[in-house]
Amino acid sequence: FELLLCLRAHHVFLQRSCLTSRRVGTVNNGWKWFSWHPTAMIFAYVGMSGNAALIKKVGGKTNTEIHGYVMTLAALLASFGWYVIYTNKDKFGRPHNVTWHAWSGLVVLGGFIVMAPFSYLALNPENGMYRTNSQ
């Protein structure tokens, strides 16, 4: 039953990410450079991270490795989303990091990026210091 629930959640995460991204492209009279910012963030934090957490929850060495790869890709995609908004602000001469949205986004992205190498060192199923599998 838990596996079926996870599969349904995978579908919902990806479906909602796609529908929201499609909406982003129609709100601003077509797809623009800025449109990549919310799209990348939605896919990184909802579509990919949500699925990675569910994959890890299923358990096992292979699923743990897949979880790590997907989370790494999510961090890279979120970094791309930050790059998009940074260059978009430069393009229009607007100041950076002046809203709570910007600051909270930086905190989340920073935490995401900082956690990646420490998670690898601690939880890697092959040689992590705090791995739960027995070898």
Side-chain angles (χ1 to χ4, degrees):
F1 178 72
E2 187 174 320
L3 182 60
L4 289 175
L5 195 60
C6 283
L7 289 173
R8 176 68 181 139
H10 288 303
H11 174 75
V12 169
F13 283 147
L14 291 176
Q15 178 189 40
R16 296 294 179 222
S17 296
C18 289
L19 289 173
T20 304
S21 297
R22 182 171 170 225
R23 175 86 174 124
V24 166
T26 60
V27 169
N28 293 327
N29 296 325
W31 200 261
K32 301 196 176 9
W33 176 241
F34 170 80
S35 304
W36 287 106
H37 168 70
T39 300
M41 295 306 191
I42 289 165
F43 271 97
Y45 293 127
V46 177
M48 296 179 80
S49 298
N51 281 321
L54 292 174
I55 290 167
K56 174 68 176 144
K57 186 175 176 142
V58 173
K61 178 181 182 242
T62 302
N63 288 332
T64 299
E65 290 172 341
I66 292 170
H67 165 80
Y69 297 140
V70 173
M71 289 299 280
T72 300
L73 289 173
L76 292 171
L77 186 58
S79 297
F80 171 72
W82 175 84
Y83 170 77
V84 168
I85 195 62
Y86 191 89
T87 56
N88 194 65
K89 294 247 183 211
D90 277 349
K91 178 180 175 182
F92 292 106
R94 294 190 180 131
H96 298 284
N97 307 322
V98 294
T99 65
W100 283 105
H101 175 84
W103 283 106
S104 61
L106 280 173
V107 168
V108 170
L109 180 60
F112 218 68
I113 291 170
V114 168
M115 274 181 28
F118 291 110
S119 297
Y120 176 81
L121 291 173
L123 302 174
N124 184 318
E126 292 292 326
N127 56 8
M129 296 179 293
Y130 299 107
R131 69 182 186 269
T132 57
N133 62 334
S134 57
Q135 289 190 3

